[in-house]
PDB file of all heavy atoms in Angstrom:
ATOM      1  N   ASP A 290      23.983  46.939  28.252  1.00  0.00           N
ATOM      2  CA  ASP A 290      22.787  46.436  27.769  1.00  0.00           C
ATOM      3  C   ASP A 290      22.683  46.408  26.281  1.00  0.00           C
ATOM      4  O   ASP A 290      21.947  45.668  25.658  1.00  0.00           O
ATOM      5  CB  ASP A 290      21.618  47.172  28.372  1.00  0.00           C
ATOM      6  CG  ASP A 290      21.342  46.884  29.768  1.00  0.00           C
ATOM      7  OD1 ASP A 290      21.890  45.886  30.344  1.00  0.00           O
ATOM      8  OD2 ASP A 290      20.633  47.671  30.447  1.00  0.00           O
ATOM      9  N   LEU A 291      23.421  47.346  25.628  1.00  0.00           N
ATOM     10  CA  LEU A 291      23.399  47.443  24.194  1.00  0.00           C
ATOM     11  C   LEU A 291      24.782  47.088  23.592  1.00  0.00           C
ATOM     12  O   LEU A 291      25.167  47.605  22.511  1.00  0.00           O
ATOM     13  CB  LEU A 291      23.006  48.878  23.764  1.00  0.00           C
ATOM     14  CG  LEU A 291      21.622  49.317  24.131  1.00  0.00           C
ATOM     15  CD1 LEU A 291      21.463  50.815  23.770  1.00  0.00           C
ATOM     16  CD2 LEU A 291      20.603  48.518  23.420  1.00  0.00           C
ATOM     17  N   ALA A 292      25.489  46.203  24.246  1.00  0.00           N
ATOM     18  CA  ALA A 292      26.819  45.849  23.751  1.00  0.00           C
ATOM     19  C   ALA A 292      26.772  45.245  22.340  1.00  0.00           C
ATOM     20  O   ALA A 292      27.819  45.268  21.655  1.00  0.00           O
ATOM     21  CB  ALA A 292      27.448  44.804  24.699  1.00  0.00           C
ATOM     22  N   TYR A 293      25.677  44.658  21.944  1.00  0.00           N
ATOM     23  CA  TYR A 293      25.498  44.047  20.677  1.00  0.00           C
ATOM     24  C   TYR A 293      25.222  45.034  19.516  1.00  0.00           C
ATOM     25  O   TYR A 293      25.301  44.736  18.331  1.00  0.00           O
ATOM     26  CB  TYR A 293      24.406  43.049  20.630  1.00  0.00           C
ATOM     27  CG  TYR A 293      23.058  43.696  20.889  1.00  0.00           C
ATOM     28  CD1 TYR A 293      22.293  44.219  19.898  1.00  0.00           C
ATOM     29  CD2 TYR A 293      22.621  43.883  22.196  1.00  0.00           C
ATOM     30  CE1 TYR A 293      21.060  44.801  20.087  1.00  0.00           C
ATOM     31  CE2 TYR A 293      21.386  44.549  22.407  1.00  0.00           C
ATOM     32  CZ  TYR A 293      20.598  45.004  21.390  1.00  0.00           C
ATOM     33  OH  TYR A 293      19.478  45.576  21.671  1.00  0.00           O
ATOM     34  N   ALA A 294      24.988  46.325  19.861  1.00  0.00           N
ATOM     35  CA  ALA A 294      24.414  47.266  18.870  1.00  0.00           C
ATOM     36  C   ALA A 294      25.560  48.083  18.295  1.00  0.00           C
ATOM     37  O   ALA A 294      26.477  48.551  18.974  1.00  0.00           O
ATOM     38  CB  ALA A 294      23.442  48.238  19.544  1.00  0.00           C
ATOM     39  N   LEU A 295      25.460  48.300  16.947  1.00  0.00           N
ATOM     40  CA  LEU A 295      26.365  49.272  16.303  1.00  0.00           C
ATOM     41  C   LEU A 295      25.797  50.670  16.394  1.00  0.00           C
ATOM     42  O   LEU A 295      24.558  50.813  16.421  1.00  0.00           O
ATOM     43  CB  LEU A 295      26.433  48.884  14.798  1.00  0.00           C
ATOM     44  CG  LEU A 295      27.143  47.630  14.414  1.00  0.00           C
ATOM     45  CD1 LEU A 295      26.913  47.281  12.893  1.00  0.00           C
ATOM     46  CD2 LEU A 295      28.624  47.618  14.799  1.00  0.00           C
ATOM     47  N   GLU A 296      26.653  51.581  16.529  1.00  0.00           N
ATOM     48  CA  GLU A 296      26.281  53.068  16.539  1.00  0.00           C
ATOM     49  C   GLU A 296      26.085  53.443  15.086  1.00  0.00           C
ATOM     50  O   GLU A 296      26.979  53.225  14.267  1.00  0.00           O
ATOM     51  CB  GLU A 296      27.323  53.906  17.193  1.00  0.00           C
ATOM     52  CG  GLU A 296      27.358  53.638  18.749  1.00  0.00           C
ATOM     53  CD  GLU A 296      28.282  54.550  19.407  1.00  0.00           C
ATOM     54  OE1 GLU A 296      28.742  55.563  18.793  1.00  0.00           O
ATOM     55  OE2 GLU A 296      28.639  54.290  20.530  1.00  0.00           O
ATOM     56  N   ALA A 297      24.951  54.043  14.779  1.00  0.00           N
ATOM     57  CA  ALA A 297      24.634  54.488  13.400  1.00  0.00           C
ATOM     58  C   ALA A 297      24.220  55.941  13.388  1.00  0.00           C
ATOM     59  O   ALA A 297      23.181  56.271  14.038  1.00  0.00           O
ATOM     60  CB  ALA A 297      23.587  53.544  12.765  1.00  0.00           C
ATOM     61  N   GLY A 298      24.873  56.726  12.709  1.00  0.00           N
ATOM     62  CA  GLY A 298      24.506  58.121  12.597  1.00  0.00           C
ATOM     63  C   GLY A 298      23.407  58.232  11.506  1.00  0.00           C
ATOM     64  O   GLY A 298      22.935  57.283  10.985  1.00  0.00           O
ATOM     65  N   LYS A 299      23.021  59.458  11.273  1.00  0.00           N
ATOM     66  CA  LYS A 299      22.045  59.668  10.147  1.00  0.00           C
ATOM     67  C   LYS A 299      22.705  59.775   8.838  1.00  0.00           C
ATOM     68  O   LYS A 299      23.807  60.028   8.711  1.00  0.00           O
ATOM     69  CB  LYS A 299      21.345  61.023  10.495  1.00  0.00           C
ATOM     70  CG  LYS A 299      20.513  61.028  11.745  1.00  0.00           C
ATOM     71  CD  LYS A 299      19.820  62.365  11.936  1.00  0.00           C
ATOM     72  CE  LYS A 299      19.087  62.296  13.257  1.00  0.00           C
ATOM     73  NZ  LYS A 299      18.456  63.588  13.546  1.00  0.00           N
ATOM     74  N   GLY A 300      21.914  59.284   7.852  1.00  0.00           N
ATOM     75  CA  GLY A 300      22.483  59.453   6.520  1.00  0.00           C
ATOM     76  C   GLY A 300      22.603  58.059   5.834  1.00  0.00           C
ATOM     77  O   GLY A 300      22.105  57.026   6.253  1.00  0.00           O
ATOM     78  N   GLY A 301      23.406  58.113   4.754  1.00  0.00           N
ATOM     79  CA  GLY A 301      23.506  56.919   3.785  1.00  0.00           C
ATOM     80  C   GLY A 301      24.129  55.767   4.433  1.00  0.00           C
ATOM     81  O   GLY A 301      23.878  54.634   3.976  1.00  0.00           O
ATOM     82  N   THR A 302      25.081  55.902   5.297  1.00  0.00           N
ATOM     83  CA  THR A 302      25.703  54.748   5.887  1.00  0.00           C
ATOM     84  C   THR A 302      24.863  53.889   6.751  1.00  0.00           C
ATOM     85  O   THR A 302      25.142  52.760   7.018  1.00  0.00           O
ATOM     86  CB  THR A 302      27.027  55.176   6.622  1.00  0.00           C
ATOM     87  OG1 THR A 302      26.631  55.981   7.747  1.00  0.00           O
ATOM     88  CG2 THR A 302      27.975  55.880   5.766  1.00  0.00           C
ATOM     89  N   ARG A 303      23.773  54.529   7.298  1.00  0.00           N
ATOM     90  CA  ARG A 303      22.877  53.736   8.215  1.00  0.00           C
ATOM     91  C   ARG A 303      22.353  52.534   7.594  1.00  0.00           C
ATOM     92  O   ARG A 303      22.295  51.471   8.309  1.00  0.00           O
ATOM     93  CB  ARG A 303      21.744  54.721   8.593  1.00  0.00           C
ATOM     94  CG  ARG A 303      20.831  54.059   9.553  1.00  0.00           C
ATOM     95  CD  ARG A 303      19.677  54.921   9.984  1.00  0.00           C
ATOM     96  NE  ARG A 303      20.066  55.639  11.104  1.00  0.00           N
ATOM     97  CZ  ARG A 303      19.392  56.542  11.762  1.00  0.00           C
ATOM     98  NH1 ARG A 303      18.187  56.865  11.221  1.00  0.00           N
ATOM     99  NH2 ARG A 303      19.795  57.115  12.807  1.00  0.00           N
ATOM    100  N   ALA A 304      21.977  52.488   6.309  1.00  0.00           N
ATOM    101  CA  ALA A 304      21.462  51.307   5.664  1.00  0.00           C
ATOM    102  C   ALA A 304      22.459  50.127   5.713  1.00  0.00           C
ATOM    103  O   ALA A 304      22.105  49.017   5.994  1.00  0.00           O
ATOM    104  CB  ALA A 304      21.079  51.601   4.270  1.00  0.00           C
ATOM    105  N   VAL A 305      23.765  50.411   5.394  1.00  0.00           N
ATOM    106  CA  VAL A 305      24.711  49.409   5.451  1.00  0.00           C
ATOM    107  C   VAL A 305      24.936  48.872   6.831  1.00  0.00           C
ATOM    108  O   VAL A 305      25.070  47.678   7.048  1.00  0.00           O
ATOM    109  CB  VAL A 305      26.086  50.003   4.845  1.00  0.00           C
ATOM    110  CG1 VAL A 305      27.182  48.918   4.941  1.00  0.00           C
ATOM    111  CG2 VAL A 305      25.874  50.378   3.360  1.00  0.00           C
ATOM    112  N   LEU A 306      25.001  49.803   7.802  1.00  0.00           N
ATOM    113  CA  LEU A 306      25.253  49.388   9.165  1.00  0.00           C
ATOM    114  C   LEU A 306      24.126  48.521   9.654  1.00  0.00           C
ATOM    115  O   LEU A 306      24.379  47.558  10.393  1.00  0.00           O
ATOM    116  CB  LEU A 306      25.422  50.623  10.064  1.00  0.00           C
ATOM    117  CG  LEU A 306      26.723  51.403   9.828  1.00  0.00           C
ATOM    118  CD1 LEU A 306      26.625  52.737  10.560  1.00  0.00           C
ATOM    119  CD2 LEU A 306      27.916  50.607  10.239  1.00  0.00           C
ATOM    120  N   MET A 307      22.925  48.854   9.351  1.00  0.00           N
ATOM    121  CA  MET A 307      21.766  48.132   9.804  1.00  0.00           C
ATOM    122  C   MET A 307      21.640  46.727   9.191  1.00  0.00           C
ATOM    123  O   MET A 307      21.240  45.746   9.792  1.00  0.00           O
ATOM    124  CB  MET A 307      20.467  48.896   9.572  1.00  0.00           C
ATOM    125  CG  MET A 307      20.340  50.092  10.498  1.00  0.00           C
ATOM    126  SD  MET A 307      20.503  49.784  12.274  1.00  0.00           S
ATOM    127  CE  MET A 307      22.133  50.218  12.565  1.00  0.00           C
ATOM    128  N   ALA A 308      22.109  46.554   7.925  1.00  0.00           N
ATOM    129  CA  ALA A 308      22.171  45.216   7.316  1.00  0.00           C
ATOM    130  C   ALA A 308      23.154  44.442   7.988  1.00  0.00           C
ATOM    131  O   ALA A 308      22.901  43.124   8.290  1.00  0.00           O
ATOM    132  CB  ALA A 308      22.528  45.474   5.817  1.00  0.00           C
ATOM    133  N   VAL A 309      24.323  44.938   8.411  1.00  0.00           N
ATOM    134  CA  VAL A 309      25.338  44.177   9.056  1.00  0.00           C
ATOM    135  C   VAL A 309      24.824  43.937  10.521  1.00  0.00           C
ATOM    136  O   VAL A 309      25.028  42.808  11.027  1.00  0.00           O
ATOM    137  CB  VAL A 309      26.642  44.979   9.112  1.00  0.00           C
ATOM    138  CG1 VAL A 309      27.699  44.286  10.020  1.00  0.00           C
ATOM    139  CG2 VAL A 309      27.240  45.041   7.706  1.00  0.00           C
ATOM    140  N   GLN A 310      24.096  44.864  11.078  1.00  0.00           N
ATOM    141  CA  GLN A 310      23.516  44.621  12.450  1.00  0.00           C
ATOM    142  C   GLN A 310      22.673  43.453  12.514  1.00  0.00           C
ATOM    143  O   GLN A 310      22.711  42.645  13.499  1.00  0.00           O
ATOM    144  CB  GLN A 310      22.792  45.877  12.926  1.00  0.00           C
ATOM    145  CG  GLN A 310      22.222  45.835  14.281  1.00  0.00           C
ATOM    146  CD  GLN A 310      23.210  45.862  15.361  1.00  0.00           C
ATOM    147  OE1 GLN A 310      23.760  46.845  15.647  1.00  0.00           O
ATOM    148  NE2 GLN A 310      23.446  44.744  15.960  1.00  0.00           N
ATOM    149  N   ALA A 311      21.885  43.177  11.532  1.00  0.00           N
ATOM    150  CA  ALA A 311      20.956  42.112  11.513  1.00  0.00           C
ATOM    151  C   ALA A 311      21.817  40.754  11.556  1.00  0.00           C
ATOM    152  O   ALA A 311      21.406  39.823  12.245  1.00  0.00           O
ATOM    153  CB  ALA A 311      20.097  42.081  10.218  1.00  0.00           C
ATOM    154  N   HIS A 312      22.914  40.663  10.792  1.00  0.00           N
ATOM    155  CA  HIS A 312      23.757  39.537  10.854  1.00  0.00           C
ATOM    156  C   HIS A 312      24.472  39.338  12.172  1.00  0.00           C
ATOM    157  O   HIS A 312      24.707  38.182  12.621  1.00  0.00           O
ATOM    158  CB  HIS A 312      24.765  39.586   9.708  1.00  0.00           C
ATOM    159  CG  HIS A 312      24.180  39.263   8.338  1.00  0.00           C
ATOM    160  ND1 HIS A 312      23.921  37.962   7.942  1.00  0.00           N
ATOM    161  CD2 HIS A 312      23.768  40.016   7.374  1.00  0.00           C
ATOM    162  CE1 HIS A 312      23.353  38.010   6.733  1.00  0.00           C
ATOM    163  NE2 HIS A 312      23.264  39.280   6.391  1.00  0.00           N
ATOM    164  N   ILE A 313      24.781  40.473  12.807  1.00  0.00           N
ATOM    165  CA  ILE A 313      25.463  40.413  14.120  1.00  0.00           C
ATOM    166  C   ILE A 313      24.487  39.796  15.128  1.00  0.00           C
ATOM    167  O   ILE A 313      24.855  38.877  15.918  1.00  0.00           O
ATOM    168  CB  ILE A 313      25.868  41.837  14.602  1.00  0.00           C
ATOM    169  CG1 ILE A 313      27.081  42.231  13.760  1.00  0.00           C
ATOM    170  CG2 ILE A 313      26.208  41.802  16.091  1.00  0.00           C
ATOM    171  CD1 ILE A 313      27.495  43.740  13.964  1.00  0.00           C
ATOM    172  N   ILE A 314      23.269  40.207  15.145  1.00  0.00           N
ATOM    173  CA  ILE A 314      22.258  39.743  16.059  1.00  0.00           C
ATOM    174  C   ILE A 314      21.977  38.220  15.821  1.00  0.00           C
ATOM    175  O   ILE A 314      21.937  37.412  16.716  1.00  0.00           O
ATOM    176  CB  ILE A 314      20.978  40.515  16.021  1.00  0.00           C
ATOM    177  CG1 ILE A 314      21.233  41.961  16.632  1.00  0.00           C
ATOM    178  CG2 ILE A 314      19.852  39.824  16.820  1.00  0.00           C
ATOM    179  CD1 ILE A 314      20.079  42.866  16.475  1.00  0.00           C
ATOM    180  N   THR A 315      21.927  37.851  14.573  1.00  0.00           N
ATOM    181  CA  THR A 315      21.695  36.422  14.200  1.00  0.00           C
ATOM    182  C   THR A 315      22.858  35.637  14.693  1.00  0.00           C
ATOM    183  O   THR A 315      22.650  34.503  15.310  1.00  0.00           O
ATOM    184  CB  THR A 315      21.582  36.236  12.675  1.00  0.00           C
ATOM    185  OG1 THR A 315      20.456  37.090  12.226  1.00  0.00           O
ATOM    186  CG2 THR A 315      21.365  34.895  12.249  1.00  0.00           C
ATOM    187  N   TYR A 316      24.075  36.071  14.486  1.00  0.00           N
ATOM    188  CA  TYR A 316      25.229  35.322  14.973  1.00  0.00           C
ATOM    189  C   TYR A 316      25.282  35.167  16.526  1.00  0.00           C
ATOM    190  O   TYR A 316      25.487  34.133  17.040  1.00  0.00           O
ATOM    191  CB  TYR A 316      26.556  36.082  14.584  1.00  0.00           C
ATOM    192  CG  TYR A 316      27.797  35.489  15.205  1.00  0.00           C
ATOM    193  CD1 TYR A 316      28.400  34.352  14.736  1.00  0.00           C
ATOM    194  CD2 TYR A 316      28.348  36.145  16.316  1.00  0.00           C
ATOM    195  CE1 TYR A 316      29.507  33.812  15.285  1.00  0.00           C
ATOM    196  CE2 TYR A 316      29.507  35.597  16.931  1.00  0.00           C
ATOM    197  CZ  TYR A 316      30.102  34.470  16.418  1.00  0.00           C
ATOM    198  OH  TYR A 316      31.173  33.873  17.040  1.00  0.00           O
ATOM    199  N   LEU A 317      25.009  36.234  17.196  1.00  0.00           N
ATOM    200  CA  LEU A 317      25.016  36.222  18.724  1.00  0.00           C
ATOM    201  C   LEU A 317      23.915  35.344  19.228  1.00  0.00           C
ATOM    202  O   LEU A 317      24.118  34.696  20.272  1.00  0.00           O
ATOM    203  CB  LEU A 317      24.895  37.630  19.255  1.00  0.00           C
ATOM    204  CG  LEU A 317      26.163  38.554  18.975  1.00  0.00           C
ATOM    205  CD1 LEU A 317      25.828  39.942  19.466  1.00  0.00           C
ATOM    206  CD2 LEU A 317      27.343  38.047  19.747  1.00  0.00           C
ATOM    207  N   LEU A 318      22.764  35.363  18.681  1.00  0.00           N
ATOM    208  CA  LEU A 318      21.587  34.630  19.178  1.00  0.00           C
ATOM    209  C   LEU A 318      21.625  33.129  18.757  1.00  0.00           C
ATOM    210  O   LEU A 318      21.331  32.269  19.568  1.00  0.00           O
ATOM    211  CB  LEU A 318      20.317  35.209  18.693  1.00  0.00           C
ATOM    212  CG  LEU A 318      19.946  36.512  19.394  1.00  0.00           C
ATOM    213  CD1 LEU A 318      18.588  37.027  18.766  1.00  0.00           C
ATOM    214  CD2 LEU A 318      19.737  36.286  20.866  1.00  0.00           C
ATOM    215  N   PHE A 319      22.026  32.794  17.478  1.00  0.00           N
ATOM    216  CA  PHE A 319      21.823  31.462  16.997  1.00  0.00           C
ATOM    217  C   PHE A 319      23.091  30.730  16.606  1.00  0.00           C
ATOM    218  O   PHE A 319      23.069  29.537  16.565  1.00  0.00           O
ATOM    219  CB  PHE A 319      20.915  31.491  15.849  1.00  0.00           C
ATOM    220  CG  PHE A 319      19.579  32.190  16.124  1.00  0.00           C
ATOM    221  CD1 PHE A 319      19.276  33.447  15.542  1.00  0.00           C
ATOM    222  CD2 PHE A 319      18.732  31.692  17.025  1.00  0.00           C
ATOM    223  CE1 PHE A 319      18.017  34.057  15.808  1.00  0.00           C
ATOM    224  CE2 PHE A 319      17.511  32.274  17.330  1.00  0.00           C
ATOM    225  CZ  PHE A 319      17.213  33.524  16.711  1.00  0.00           C
ATOM    226  N   THR A 320      24.199  31.345  16.375  1.00  0.00           N
ATOM    227  CA  THR A 320      25.400  30.722  15.911  1.00  0.00           C
ATOM    228  C   THR A 320      26.432  30.528  16.965  1.00  0.00           C
ATOM    229  O   THR A 320      27.025  29.442  17.152  1.00  0.00           O
ATOM    230  CB  THR A 320      26.034  31.528  14.722  1.00  0.00           C
ATOM    231  OG1 THR A 320      25.078  31.749  13.793  1.00  0.00           O
ATOM    232  CG2 THR A 320      27.187  30.748  14.149  1.00  0.00           C
ATOM    233  N   ARG A 321      26.662  31.542  17.754  1.00  0.00           N
ATOM    234  CA  ARG A 321      27.684  31.529  18.810  1.00  0.00           C
ATOM    235  C   ARG A 321      27.405  30.531  19.959  1.00  0.00           C
ATOM    236  O   ARG A 321      26.187  30.472  20.346  1.00  0.00           O
ATOM    237  CB  ARG A 321      27.822  32.925  19.392  1.00  0.00           C
ATOM    238  CG  ARG A 321      28.945  33.064  20.450  1.00  0.00           C
ATOM    239  CD  ARG A 321      29.044  34.557  20.831  1.00  0.00           C
ATOM    240  NE  ARG A 321      27.861  34.999  21.552  1.00  0.00           N
ATOM    241  CZ  ARG A 321      27.864  35.398  22.843  1.00  0.00           C
ATOM    242  NH1 ARG A 321      28.941  35.476  23.455  1.00  0.00           N
ATOM    243  NH2 ARG A 321      26.704  35.896  23.390  1.00  0.00           N
ATOM    244  N   ASP A 322      28.309  29.721  20.348  1.00  0.00           N
ATOM    245  CA  ASP A 322      28.053  28.705  21.379  1.00  0.00           C
ATOM    246  C   ASP A 322      28.415  29.302  22.710  1.00  0.00           C
ATOM    247  O   ASP A 322      29.491  29.700  22.977  1.00  0.00           O
ATOM    248  CB  ASP A 322      28.967  27.521  21.030  1.00  0.00           C
ATOM    249  CG  ASP A 322      28.717  26.375  21.962  1.00  0.00           C
ATOM    250  OD1 ASP A 322      27.516  26.236  22.413  1.00  0.00           O
ATOM    251  OD2 ASP A 322      29.518  25.578  22.178  1.00  0.00           O
ATOM    252  N   THR A 323      27.382  29.391  23.533  1.00  0.00           N
ATOM    253  CA  THR A 323      27.487  29.967  24.839  1.00  0.00           C
ATOM    254  C   THR A 323      26.392  29.429  25.779  1.00  0.00           C
ATOM    255  O   THR A 323      25.330  28.898  25.281  1.00  0.00           O
ATOM    256  CB  THR A 323      27.440  31.531  24.869  1.00  0.00           C
ATOM    257  OG1 THR A 323      27.546  31.968  26.232  1.00  0.00           O
ATOM    258  CG2 THR A 323      26.075  31.954  24.252  1.00  0.00           C
ATOM    259  N   GLU A 324      26.645  29.428  27.088  1.00  0.00           N
ATOM    260  CA  GLU A 324      25.672  28.883  27.959  1.00  0.00           C
ATOM    261  C   GLU A 324      24.603  29.943  28.377  1.00  0.00           C
ATOM    262  O   GLU A 324      23.645  29.584  29.099  1.00  0.00           O
ATOM    263  CB  GLU A 324      26.324  28.405  29.271  1.00  0.00           C
ATOM    264  CG  GLU A 324      26.928  29.500  30.126  1.00  0.00           C
ATOM    265  CD  GLU A 324      28.285  29.970  29.668  1.00  0.00           C
ATOM    266  OE1 GLU A 324      28.847  29.449  28.741  1.00  0.00           O
ATOM    267  OE2 GLU A 324      28.825  30.932  30.349  1.00  0.00           O
ATOM    268  N   HIS A 325      24.708  31.198  27.929  1.00  0.00           N
ATOM    269  CA  HIS A 325      23.746  32.263  28.307  1.00  0.00           C
ATOM    270  C   HIS A 325      22.332  32.049  27.665  1.00  0.00           C
ATOM    271  O   HIS A 325      22.330  31.531  26.563  1.00  0.00           O
ATOM    272  CB  HIS A 325      24.304  33.663  27.959  1.00  0.00           C
ATOM    273  CG  HIS A 325      25.650  33.934  28.708  1.00  0.00           C
ATOM    274  ND1 HIS A 325      25.660  34.022  30.040  1.00  0.00           N
ATOM    275  CD2 HIS A 325      26.867  34.195  28.196  1.00  0.00           C
ATOM    276  CE1 HIS A 325      26.905  34.398  30.457  1.00  0.00           C
ATOM    277  NE2 HIS A 325      27.626  34.459  29.342  1.00  0.00           N
ATOM    278  N   THR A 326      21.356  32.661  28.272  1.00  0.00           N
ATOM    279  CA  THR A 326      20.037  32.697  27.633  1.00  0.00           C
ATOM    280  C   THR A 326      20.045  33.685  26.442  1.00  0.00           C
ATOM    281  O   THR A 326      20.987  34.409  26.266  1.00  0.00           O
ATOM    282  CB  THR A 326      18.945  33.078  28.654  1.00  0.00           C
ATOM    283  OG1 THR A 326      19.241  34.502  29.028  1.00  0.00           O
ATOM    284  CG2 THR A 326      18.905  32.221  29.852  1.00  0.00           C
ATOM    285  N   HIS A 327      18.943  33.655  25.727  1.00  0.00           N
ATOM    286  CA  HIS A 327      18.932  34.542  24.466  1.00  0.00           C
ATOM    287  C   HIS A 327      19.250  35.993  24.809  1.00  0.00           C
ATOM    288  O   HIS A 327      20.114  36.612  24.096  1.00  0.00           O
ATOM    289  CB  HIS A 327      17.605  34.422  23.724  1.00  0.00           C
ATOM    290  CG  HIS A 327      17.552  33.165  22.953  1.00  0.00           C
ATOM    291  ND1 HIS A 327      18.536  32.568  22.398  1.00  0.00           N
ATOM    292  CD2 HIS A 327      16.382  32.361  22.730  1.00  0.00           C
ATOM    293  CE1 HIS A 327      18.160  31.458  21.666  1.00  0.00           C
ATOM    294  NE2 HIS A 327      16.808  31.326  21.956  1.00  0.00           N
ATOM    295  N   LEU A 328      18.561  36.578  25.760  1.00  0.00           N
ATOM    296  CA  LEU A 328      18.844  37.985  26.078  1.00  0.00           C
ATOM    297  C   LEU A 328      20.242  38.201  26.624  1.00  0.00           C
ATOM    298  O   LEU A 328      20.923  39.171  26.179  1.00  0.00           O
ATOM    299  CB  LEU A 328      17.811  38.491  27.007  1.00  0.00           C
ATOM    300  CG  LEU A 328      17.879  40.016  27.323  1.00  0.00           C
ATOM    301  CD1 LEU A 328      17.793  40.890  26.017  1.00  0.00           C
ATOM    302  CD2 LEU A 328      16.813  40.424  28.275  1.00  0.00           C
ATOM    303  N   GLU A 329      20.739  37.337  27.473  1.00  0.00           N
ATOM    304  CA  GLU A 329      22.066  37.421  27.964  1.00  0.00           C
ATOM    305  C   GLU A 329      23.125  37.271  26.851  1.00  0.00           C
ATOM    306  O   GLU A 329      24.195  37.778  26.927  1.00  0.00           O
ATOM    307  CB  GLU A 329      22.317  36.344  29.016  1.00  0.00           C
ATOM    308  CG  GLU A 329      21.573  36.633  30.307  1.00  0.00           C
ATOM    309  CD  GLU A 329      21.656  35.474  31.274  1.00  0.00           C
ATOM    310  OE1 GLU A 329      21.858  34.360  30.821  1.00  0.00           O
ATOM    311  OE2 GLU A 329      21.530  35.731  32.448  1.00  0.00           O
ATOM    312  N   ARG A 330      22.798  36.543  25.812  1.00  0.00           N
ATOM    313  CA  ARG A 330      23.738  36.326  24.663  1.00  0.00           C
ATOM    314  C   ARG A 330      24.011  37.722  23.938  1.00  0.00           C
ATOM    315  O   ARG A 330      25.126  37.924  23.503  1.00  0.00           O
ATOM    316  CB  ARG A 330      23.142  35.392  23.605  1.00  0.00           C
ATOM    317  CG  ARG A 330      23.130  34.005  24.017  1.00  0.00           C
ATOM    318  CD  ARG A 330      22.338  33.139  22.882  1.00  0.00           C
ATOM    319  NE  ARG A 330      22.367  31.773  23.194  1.00  0.00           N
ATOM    320  CZ  ARG A 330      23.017  30.864  22.540  1.00  0.00           C
ATOM    321  NH1 ARG A 330      23.714  31.197  21.440  1.00  0.00           N
ATOM    322  NH2 ARG A 330      22.927  29.650  22.885  1.00  0.00           N
ATOM    323  N   LEU A 331      23.059  38.636  24.103  1.00  0.00           N
ATOM    324  CA  LEU A 331      23.317  39.907  23.422  1.00  0.00           C
ATOM    325  C   LEU A 331      24.012  40.870  24.344  1.00  0.00           C
ATOM    326  O   LEU A 331      24.857  41.675  23.937  1.00  0.00           O
ATOM    327  CB  LEU A 331      21.949  40.511  23.094  1.00  0.00           C
ATOM    328  CG  LEU A 331      21.195  39.794  21.926  1.00  0.00           C
ATOM    329  CD1 LEU A 331      19.810  40.427  21.723  1.00  0.00           C
ATOM    330  CD2 LEU A 331      22.005  39.727  20.648  1.00  0.00           C
TER     331      LEU A 331
END
């Protein structure tokens, strides 16, 4: 269910990981070509 999610620990690296996570979700939902619905895309 969370296959799209990056694991992020506590601390300074979390900000970098979350910025990349936003782009991952955007890619999976709107850029990637697939027949799945929005939630299934993730």
Side-chain angles (χ1 to χ4, degrees):
D290 288 344
L291 295 174
Y293 63 90
L295 292 173
E296 292 184 12
K299 295 180 181 178
T302 61
R303 179 180 269 180
V305 175
L306 293 170
M307 291 304 98
V309 172
Q310 180 69 74
H312 285 280
I313 288 171
I314 291 173
T315 301
Y316 170 80
L317 291 172
L318 286 177
F319 305 114
T320 307
R321 185 174 66 118
D322 189 26
T323 181
E324 69 278 357
H325 297 298
T326 64
H327 283 327
L328 186 56
E329 290 172 334
R330 285 174 179 248
L331 295 177

